[in-house]
Amino acid sequence: MASDIEWNAAVTKNIRRQFRKEFSIFITLILVEIFLTILFSIFYTAVFHAEELLDFNEIYQDVIRLGAEEAFRVNELPEGVSIEILNDNNQIIDGYNTARVSGYQYTQKEINMFLNNLYVDVYAYYPEDDSELFVLFFVPSADGELSVDVFIASVAFFLILVFLTINVLTQRLGKKFLVPLNEIMLGVKKLKKGEYHSKITYVSNSEFDQVRDAINALSTDLDLEIKKRQAIENSRNQLIVDISHDLKTPLTNVIGYSEVILRSMEQSPHRDKQHTDIERYLEIISKNGKQANRLLQDLSELSQLQVPDLCLNCHQVDFPESIRTFLIDCIPEIEEAGFLYEFDIPEKPFNCEIDSFKFQRALQNLIDNAIKYNPPGTCIHIQVAEADEIITLIIEDNGVGIPKENRAEIFEPFVRADQDRNRQTGGSGLGLAITKKIIEKHGGTIVLQSDDKGSRFEIEIPKHYSLCRSQLEIER
């Protein structure tokens, strides 16, 4: 199995190769976007700044042939363009749309600067022979404004392309990596919930298939292990039930015969020290037999509750009324122990689907524990409340509380908060374990909150047993 799921060097190398491939695609797309951005900037300039792309060679010929004004109209030059025609002495002899008057003479230094393109907004055309004229074209739009305009538009275009590229690559990588990872996470969540029979079924044709197979193999192994442990647990529970049943009859006989002999000796007219000792021994036998019988009964009940397929005998009851009736029967026991009590049970009826016998058994264990392990004068407070589909039942006291080191495992079998006190009271250490199992069989929870001033047990159960049973079946 280990060789099937080993993450070897070849797999790592293949993943790196895929990442290099994706990175290469990204770089290639960026280069393509840069090229497209350049084309866009040219197109943008041609549309919004056409005057910078005028063919002044052709316009020059029209100026020579038609004159400055007519050439301006024929070529539909922008309104800001100026035309000046100069003679051999660098004087203006004709012009259109210019602020300089005819006869204005440029210095030779200015002419040289025009010819050497030292003025970015002047286009100078020198005659090829003496028969042609020297023409100056002035384009007033500033290069700075043009550059900012084109730069902003080009950057915006480039960012849009980058955004689209990232979106496409994200979709591509998501399909290749994120989808399998999501399926893996769903599979892990199912394992966490205990659904070991479920499998991850996606196919990615990548290294994630190996992860899928590893998790599925782990799920199968866990499922088999859980089934084996469940079978052993069921066998153990059944063994405890059988032993409890087999020991119940002889224990009952021991208790019964010891009590019969004890009564006959008490009625005997001849009593001496030997009779007194025998009576004491018989009382010890009867007491320990009854304690052993209670322990066997608790073991048998706990084992039955641990069987996954156990079905409760649930039916609809008026929950407040059911709890109220149960507590009325408990009052004599509470008062006889010298305890105080406060009951907060709502008058408004609401129905709940429970096994009344077992649920009252769970509550009886909590009340018995409060009476056994707290001094007289302790007050027991019981409260019932409902919220939507959940019922909350609180049983608390202001007694000695439960030691901090015992709180985490107080619901485990045979856990005793006070060893000496349990031996005195004859507790088996199974009462709270039985209570928790009964509450869980109803689909509920029980939580302990305890300090040095008392204990508080909070029970929550759903109103409908059919819903909680479905949840229990899913958990199994």
Side-chain angles (χ1 to χ4, degrees), residues 183-418:
E183 293 294 331
I184 289 173
M185 288 303 300
L186 290 176
V188 172
K189 288 181 179 179
K190 289 182 179 179
L191 283 178
K192 187 177 179 181
K193 293 180 180 178
E195 301 178 28
Y196 304 113
H197 59 280
S198 63
K199 304 297 179 185
I200 304 174
T201 58
Y202 76 88
V203 177
S204 65
N205 297 320
S206 67
E207 284 64 32
F208 288 105
D209 290 347
Q210 192 176 27
V211 179
R212 174 204 63 201
D213 296 339
I215 294 178
N216 286 341
L218 176 63
S219 175
T220 300
D221 292 344
L222 287 174
D223 191 28
L224 291 174
E225 185 66 23
I226 292 297
K227 288 180 179 179
K228 290 179 181 178
R229 290 180 59 184
Q230 190 63 54
I232 294 174
E233 186 71 16
N234 291 340
S235 299
R236 183 183 69 85
N237 291 335
Q238 188 60 46
L239 178 63
I240 292 175
V241 172
D242 293 341
I243 292 176
S244 300
H245 182 270
D246 292 340
L247 291 178
K248 186 175 181 180
T249 299
L251 269 176
T252 302
N253 291 336
V254 170
I255 296 171
Y257 286 127
S258 63
E259 290 181 346
V260 169
I261 297 174
L262 183 61
R263 284 195 299 270
S264 63
M265 293 187 67
E266 290 175 349
Q267 297 172 1
S268 174
H270 305 288
R271 300 179 62 82
D272 52 21
K273 183 178 182 304
Q274 184 178 6
H275 281 76
T276 303
D277 291 341
I278 293 176
E279 288 179 1
R280 183 164 57 86
Y281 299 151
L282 289 173
E283 289 176 353
I284 294 174
I285 292 174
S286 177
K287 178 181 178 181
N288 290 333
K290 291 177 180 179
Q291 184 173 349
N293 193 37
R294 286 195 300 270
L295 175 60
L296 288 176
Q297 290 177 350
D298 289 345
L299 276 173
S300 177
E301 183 176 7
L302 180 61
S303 299
Q304 291 175 355
L305 289 171
Q306 290 176 335
V307 175
D309 296 330
L310 176 67
C311 293
L312 300 181
N313 183 24
C314 291
H315 54 279
Q316 289 284 345
V317 298
D318 181 348
F319 190 80
E321 183 61 27
S322 175
I323 298 298
R324 192 178 293 109
T325 302
F326 166 73
L327 292 177
I328 290 175
D329 295 336
C330 294
I331 289 177
E333 177 187 4
I334 296 174
E335 291 180 340
E336 184 178 352
F339 277 60
L340 304 176
Y341 56 88
E342 294 178 356
F343 300 150
D344 185 6
I345 312 298
E347 296 294 334
K348 177 184 176 182
F350 54 84
N351 291 333
C352 181
E353 195 174 355
I354 61 172
D355 184 330
S356 297
F357 177 78
K358 291 190 178 298
F359 195 81
Q360 291 179 7
R361 169 83 162 96
L363 301 185
Q364 186 67 56
N365 287 342
L366 295 175
I367 294 176
D368 288 345
N369 275 9
I371 294 176
K372 287 179 182 178
Y373 306 138
N374 288 297
T378 301
C379 181
I380 298 177
H381 179 256
I382 298 177
Q383 178 182 356
V384 174
E386 68 164 334
D388 296 329
E389 293 296 315
I390 299 298
I391 295 175
T392 302
L393 177 63
I394 298 175
I395 299 178
E396 61 181 329
D397 62 67
N398 59 352
V400 297
I402 296 175
K404 184 180 298 184
E405 60 272 14
N406 298 115
R407 295 171 193 170
E409 53 184 15
I410 195 65
F411 293 106
E412 297 298 322
F414 302 107
V415 173
R416 299 177 177 181
D418 187 326

Side-chain angles (χ1 to χ4, degrees), residues 19-31:
F19 275 108
R20 283 196 298 268
K21 178 182 176 182
E22 298 298 329
F23 183 75
S24 299
I25 292 175
F26 178 74
I27 294 299
T28 302
L29 290 175
I30 290 296
L31 294 176

Side-chain angles (χ1 to χ4, degrees), residues 39-53:
L39 294 180
F40 170 80
S41 63
I42 296 174
F43 174 77
Y44 183 88
T45 303
V47 173
F48 296 99
H49 299 279
E51 66 275 9
E52 298 300 327
L53 302 177

